[in-house]
Amino acid sequence: MDNWFTIDTIDKDTYIISEYRHWEETHCYLLQGQEKSLLIDTGLGICDISAPVKALTDRPVAAAATHIHWDHIGGHQYYPEFYAHRAELPWLQGGFPLTMETVREMVLDRCAPPEDFHVENYRVFQGAPARLLEDGDIIDLGGRRLEVLHTPGHSPGHMCFFERERGYLFTGDLVYKDVLLAYYPSTDPAAYLASMERVAALPASRVFPGHHSLDIQPEILVRIRDAFRSLEARGLLHHGGGQFDYGDFGIWI
């Protein structure tokens, strides 16, 4: 893998698989249960994520996408049992809202790919989910249960996953320390606020983002929620509202 992936351990059966050699610094999360394992997001697809996953677990692995953006489903080709939200099925069937030329430019942007990587061969994953997840669904791994939270805003079918017993909240692109994006046509700033209202009310003890710094505490959920509330109060919670800096995060709507 040419040192492409960095592995961090959360606990004895939960791992972070990160891609720090691309500017997006995408994080994927491997959760091992007694019967199976779950890989939350599969990264950029520049290198084969199934190799480090196999080294970490001997259970059957399913993949769950927080959302169907190219940088979160790049390794889905290795997981026939993958889960997605119904709202983003068209993106898995040829309707992804970016051209391949644009995606390939983003793949190479501020990236140190392996020598054997050829961007002209890069494709956005397409396929049929083994399971369509809905809000309130439970993913049971055997001794570990994750609650599915439909949290639109960044994308129509965006999902967070909450492991209530451990207090782990996996936020995908809803929450991270950088500029939160809600300006694309496929985003919804008002829905983003509603989703933040929901996750800020959870009894989360740890927050695991989709990108960038892993030094992130649950208090950021309230601060991001309050920032969106403030934009709504000022009449700015709409596309074209502007770009706003809050220190360790920003909002672009």
Side-chain angles (χ1 to χ4, degrees):
M1 293 297 106
D2 195 26
N3 298 317
W4 179 259
F5 297 106
T6 300
I7 311 298
D8 289 294
T9 300
I10 299 172
D11 57 39
K12 64 182 179 62
D13 48 17
T14 313
Y15 305 92
I16 310 170
I17 304 174
S18 304
E19 298 177 279
Y20 288 116
R21 284 171 53 181
H22 187 274
W23 75 271
E24 291 201 86
E25 299 176 325
T26 299
H27 303 301
C28 307
Y29 298 91
L30 180 66
L31 286 64
Q32 184 167 256
Q34 295 171 4
E35 299 173 4
K36 64 192 302 182
S37 293
L38 183 73
L39 182 60
I40 298 176
D41 290 336
T42 60
L44 298 158
I46 289 175
C47 285
D48 178 0
I49 195 171
S50 71
V53 168
K54 289 174 183 174
L56 293 169
T57 183
D58 58 359
R59 273 71 159 177
V61 179
T66 56
H67 60 301
I68 308 300
H69 282 172
W70 64 275
D71 51 323
H72 293 263
I73 60 170
H76 270 46
Q77 60 184 305
Y78 306 110
Y79 299 101
E81 185 179 354
F82 76 89
Y83 312 146
H85 192 276
R86 185 182 308 276
E88 292 174 5
L89 273 179
W91 292 356
L92 287 164
Q93 299 170 349
F96 191 71
L98 292 177
T99 67
M100 274 309 312
E101 180 181 31
T102 298
V103 170
R104 287 174 182 150
E105 289 174 357
M106 295 171 75
V107 167
L108 288 183
D109 185 25
R110 288 170 282 169
C111 179
E115 291 184 1
D116 61 354
F117 175 72
H118 303 287
V119 73
E120 64 270 17
N121 297 328
Y122 189 89
R123 299 287 186 275
V124 175
F125 175 78
Q126 306 279 266
R131 177 180 175 185
L132 292 176
L133 296 176
E134 303 290 347
D135 186 65
D137 281 355
I138 298 295
I139 301 174
D140 191 342
L141 305 177
R144 298 189 75 172
R145 290 162 57 88
L146 281 93
E147 301 174 28
V148 176
L149 308 174
H150 180 210
T151 51
H154 178 73
S155 72
H158 190 285
M159 295 178 288
C160 294
F161 301 95
F162 185 48
E163 188 174 9
R164 190 170 293 272
E165 183 176 348
R166 304 186 195 202
Y168 292 175
L169 177 64
F170 302 90
T171 63
D173 280 9
L174 189 74
V175 172
Y176 53 76
K177 284 187 173 180
D178 206 289
V179 180
L180 304 170
L181 304 178
Y183 71 92
Y184 294 117
S186 57
T187 65
D188 184 335
Y192 210 124
L193 170 57
S195 294
M196 287 308 307
E197 294 281 4
R198 187 173 186 194
V199 298
L202 292 172
S205 61
R206 298 192 66 178
V207 172
F208 298 104
H211 298 283
H212 306 306
S213 176
L214 292 168
D215 181 15
I216 185 167
Q217 302 301 320
E219 56 81 27
I220 200 172
L221 303 174
V222 173
R223 289 196 289 119
I224 293 174
R225 179 204 64 192
D226 289 350
F228 272 95
R229 282 181 176 178
S230 174
L231 293 175
E232 181 184 47
R234 294 161 59 191
L236 296 172
L237 196 63
H238 57 78
H239 287 150
Q243 300 183 52
F244 307 91
D245 185 358
Y246 297 93
D248 57 354
F249 70 92
I251 298 173
W252 186 356
I253 55 178

